[in-house]
C-alpha cells in the first residue's frame, strides 16, 4: 500500500474487504451465458485459479438470475450480479445469494422499486456498486436534483473547486461526477451507504480526472477501470496507464481490466498492474532483459520459459533472467534468484551473488529446481 | 501534447526532433548481431514498418562498429549506436555515420578520450544520450565531484529540496539523480550540450521519482523507459504504468519499451502507450467492449479481426467494435466508425449514427470497406 493511499470506507463482497487498508483486489466478468451454470462455473474456476478475487456475471434475463443460485454455491470467489434496468432481476439475484450488485439506481428510476432493492440488499448486507460510464450518462438536464448533498458537506456549487474542474465549462468530467453524486444521493436518501463507485471512460484523461474528482468528494471505496479499452495488447496498455496512474497516487481499492479477450487475460493484466506497483501480495515478479546484439543466447525464449513455469506460483519471489553474464548479476542484484546465460553456460545467482554455474542444455531444469527450493522455503 | 508538457531543449537524431514541442517519438533496439548487416537491416525495416521512429544497435565489437556504415545507409530511420565502455568503438561508430550515441562518459573515465568523442560528435552534430541505469550505478563515493553544477544554478546541497527527496536518507533515487548530474557535468565541462537523458529502473517508484527529479533540474530532453521490464505481457504493462504516468504529467520526449520479445512488440507497445494518451499522430485507435453474457456474438473474435485489418493503417481513425446493438452505438458515440453486432445482423454506424445494417456473414468485409473509404477521405 502506498503511504499516500486514500483510506476509504470498507465494504465487504463475500469475504473480500474492499477499501480501508485492504489490499487492492482484482475482478473480472464472465463472458459465458449466465444461464448456463456449467460453462459459467468453469470459467469462474479458471479465473479464480489465475488470481481473480471477485467475479461479476451479467444478468440479462430471469433464467440468468435464477442460475446465479447454483453459480454462487459452486464459485470459490464472491459473485456480483450486473443489472442494467430490471428491478425484478435485481431482487431475484439477491434471492439467489449473490455477494454484491452492480446497479445504477438512476436507471431504475421508480423510488419504490429502488427502496425494495435497497431493503433486500440491506437484509443480506450486500453492497451496491454504482457504475458511472461515460458512454451511457443520463442527459445533462435530468440530474438537477443533486443540490445539497449534505452528507458530503457540499452543494453542487462547490463541485468545480473541489474536483479541480474549470468552472466556465460544464465538461464531460463534471457531468460524470455529478451523475455519480446523483446516483449516490438516491441510495443515501434511503440510508443505504454500503456503496462502491466506478467512473469509467475510454479516454484516459476523462477517466483519471473523473476518479480524482469523485475520490475527493465521497468516502466510498473506488473500483477502477477503463471501458471498451480494446483487444488484449492495446487494452492492457490503456488500462495499465489509467489504472496504474491512479493507484500510484493512492486512488483505487479494487480493479477490473476490460479486454476483448478471454477474461483470464483480464485477470493476468490486473495482477500485472498490481505487481508493477508492488501492490500484489503473492506471485512471482519476473525481471528480464530485452536482449540485444550483446546477448549470446536466445534470452527471449528463456525468459518466456521461466515466465511459464512461475506463472501460477503463489510465492512472492523476484526472479531475474538476463542475457549477459557480465552485467546480469549486477543489474538484477535485488532479485531473489536469477540466471545469466552466456555461451554454453549459465550462472545462477541469489541476491546478486553467484550460486552455481550450469550447462546451457540443463539450465532451465536447474533453474526451476532452485526456484522450487526457494518457494518451499518462503511459502 | 499535454498543456502541462515540460518543454525541453530540442535535439535532433537524424531528421527526428526530440524535445521542444515535437511529438513523442518511439524507439526500439535491434536484437540481431549488429555485425550481420542483412539481418540487422531487415529487422530495422520491420521495425520502421510498424511505427518505429529511431532504432538503436548495440556495438559490442569493432566488426559491429564497422557494419554500422551499411546499416545506416540502408536504414529508413535514424540509427543510434549503443556503446558501453570502449572509446574506440564510439569513434568508429561516429565514422560509420550513426545519428546518435548512447554512451555514459563516466564509464570511459579518461578525460582525453571523452574529449575526443565529444569533438567528433560535435563535428557531425550527433547527440549523446546519457543512460543512467539503476542496475549499473557507479559506487556512491565515486561521484563526489558534482558540486557546483553552476549551469543549472544549483549545488548538490539543493538537490534533495529540488528533487523532492527526503534529505535524511541518501536514497537510490537521489543516487540516480546525482549520477546523471555527474555524467552531464562531464559533457558540459567540455561545452557539449547536445544531450538527452534517461533514468531507468525496474521499480516504478524509483523510475518515476528519478525522472521527476532530473526533469526539474536540467533542460535536456528526456528518454523514458523501464529496464528489464520482463516478457511481452508483464513488461508492456509495467512500462505502460511507468512511462504513461510520466507522459501524462508532461515529462518525456521519446520512449522505448524494453521487452524480452521481438522488438516489433516493443514498438507496438510504445505506440499503444502514446495512443492511450492521445499523443500519437497516426494510426487507428480501437475501442472494443470486453463482451459479457449480454453479447450475442463472438465479440472477441470480431474485435481481433478488426484490429488486424487496421493495425498498419496510417489514418487517425477511432473505430469501435461493440457486442451489443442496444448500447453499442451510444457507448461508442465519439468513434468515427463503429460496428455493433447482434444475432445474424450487425449495425454499422458513423459518429454514433446508424449508417447501415449488414448480415453477420459479410459484416467484416462490409466494415472493412467502410474503413477504407473513410481512410481515403481522411488521409
Amino acid at each position: 500500500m502506498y503511504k499516500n493511499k486514500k483510506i476509504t470506507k470498507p465494504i465487504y463482497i463475500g469475504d473480500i474487504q474492499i477499501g480501508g487498508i485492504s489490499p487492492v483486489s482484482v475482478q473480472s466478468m464472465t463472458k459465458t451465458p449466465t444461464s448456463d451454470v456449467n460453462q459459467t462455473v468453469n470459467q469462474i474456476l479458471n479465473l479464480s485459479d489465475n488470481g481473480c478475487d471477485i467475479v461479476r456475471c451479467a444478468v440479462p434475463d430471469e433464467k440468468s438470475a435464477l442460475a446465479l443460485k447454483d453459480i454462487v454455491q459452486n464459485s470459490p470467489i464472491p459473485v456480483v450480479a450486473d443489472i442494467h434496468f430490471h428491478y425484478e432481476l435485481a431482487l431475484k439475484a439477491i434471492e439467489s445469494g449473490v455477494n454484491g450488485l452492480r446497479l445504477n439506481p438512476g436507471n431504475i428510476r421508480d423510488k419504490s422499486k429502488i427502496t425494495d432493492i435497497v431493503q433486500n440488499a440491506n437484509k443480506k448486507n450486500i453492497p451496491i456498486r454504482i457504475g458511472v460510464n461515460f458512454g451511457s450518462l443520463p442527459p445533462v438536464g435530468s440530474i438537477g436534483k443533486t443540490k445539497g448533498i449534505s452528507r458530503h458537506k457540499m452543494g453542487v456549487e462547490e463541485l468545480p473547486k473541489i474536483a479541480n474542474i474549470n468552472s466556465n465549462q460544464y465538461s464531460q468530467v463534471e457531468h460524470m461526477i455529478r451523475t455519480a453524486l446523483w446516483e449516490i444521493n438516491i441510495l443515501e436518501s434511503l440510508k443505504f451507504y454500503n456503496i462502491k463507485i466506478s467512473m469509467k471512460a475510454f479516454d484516459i484523461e476523462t477517466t483519471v480526472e473523473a476518479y480524482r474528482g469523485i475520490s475527493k468528494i465521497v468516502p466510498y471505496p473506488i473500483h477502477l477501470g477503463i471501458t471498451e479499452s480494446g483487444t488484449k495488447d492495446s487494452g492492457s496498455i490503456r488500462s495499465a496507464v489509467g489504472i496504474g496512474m491512479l493507484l500510484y497516487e493512492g486512488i483505487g481499492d479494487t480493479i477490473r481490466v476490460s479486454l476483448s479477450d478471454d477474461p483470464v487475460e483480464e485477470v493476468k493484466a490486473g495482477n500485472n498492474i498490481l505487481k508493477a506497483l508492488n501492490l500484489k501480495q503473492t506471485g512471482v515478479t519476473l525481471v528480464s532483459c530485452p536482449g540485444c546484439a550483446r546477448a549470446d543466447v536466445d534470452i527471449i525464449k528463456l525468459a518466456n520459459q521461466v515466465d511459464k513455469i512461475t506463472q501460477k506460483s503463489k510465492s512472492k519471489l523476484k526472479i531475474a533472467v538476463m542475457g549477459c553474464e557480465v552485467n546480469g548479476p549486477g543489474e538484477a542484484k535485488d532479485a531473489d534468484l536469477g540466471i545469466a546465460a552466456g555461451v554454453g553456460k549459465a550462472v545462477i545467482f541469489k541476491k546478486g551473488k553467484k550460486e552455481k554455474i550450469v550447462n546451457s542444455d540443463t539450465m532451465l531444469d536447474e533453474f526451476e529446481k532452485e526456484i522450487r527450493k526457494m518457494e518451499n522455503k518462503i511459502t
Side-chain angles (χ1 to χ4, degrees), chain A residues 15 47 66 96 117 366:
Chain A
D15 55 353
L47 289 170
L66 298 176
S96 287
I117 294 171
E366 295 277 354

Side-chain angles (χ1 to χ4, degrees), chain A residues 2 26 52 63 92 97 113 138 225 236 252 269 280 319 328 354:
Chain A
Y2 287 108
V26 172
C52 182
K63 207 179 160 200
K92 289 217 164 72
K113 289 180 180 173
S236 297
K280 188 71 196 166
I319 291 178
K354 194 192 284 187

Side-chain angles (χ1 to χ4, degrees), chain A residues 103-173:
Chain A
L103 174 154
N104 290 353
N107 283 344
I108 297 194
R109 300 257 158 187
D110 184 326
K111 190 117 184 178
S112 70
K113 289 180 180 173
I114 301 170
T115 306
D116 209 357
I117 294 171
V118 158
Q119 282 174 346
N120 280 283
N122 254 337
K123 262 185 229 159
K124 299 214 179 178
N125 198 22
I126 295 175
I128 295 178
R129 166 159 69 96
I130 290 170
V132 174
N133 264 38
F134 178 80
S136 51
L137 294 170
V140 171
S142 67
I143 57 161
K145 291 172 190 160
T146 29
K147 218 151 195 170
I149 308 166
S150 59
R151 187 174 155 78
H152 306 304
K153 294 184 179 53
M154 60 164 290
V156 276
E157 300 74 19
E158 296 155 59
L159 180 59
K161 198 180 68 201
I162 293 175
N164 197 22
I165 290 168
N166 179 350
S167 56
N168 293 324
Q169 200 188 337
Y170 189 82
S171 67
Q172 288 294 346
V173 170

Side-chain angles (χ1 to χ4, degrees), chain A residues 219-273:
Chain A
Y220 303 115
I222 301 286
H223 168 116
L224 297 180
I226 308 286
T227 47
E228 283 98 31
S229 70
T231 54
K232 186 187 154 191
D233 287 358
S234 63
S236 297
I237 284 176
R238 178 173 290 272
S239 299
V241 173
I243 293 173
M245 183 178 341
L246 287 162
L247 288 174
Y248 189 77
E249 61 192 64
I251 297 170
D253 301 288
T254 183
I255 67 174
R256 183 215 172 178
V257 175
S258 304
L259 299 176
S260 301
D261 210 314
D262 187 323
V264 166
E265 296 299 335
E266 301 185 348
V267 170
K268 286 185 185 171
N271 280 313
N272 277 328
I273 293 172

Side-chain angles (χ1 to χ4, degrees), chain A residues 85-98:
Chain A
F85 303 100
H86 300 289
Y87 140 83
E88 318 80 36
L89 297 180
L91 293 179
K92 289 217 164 72
I94 297 174
E95 259 176 62
S96 287
V98 294

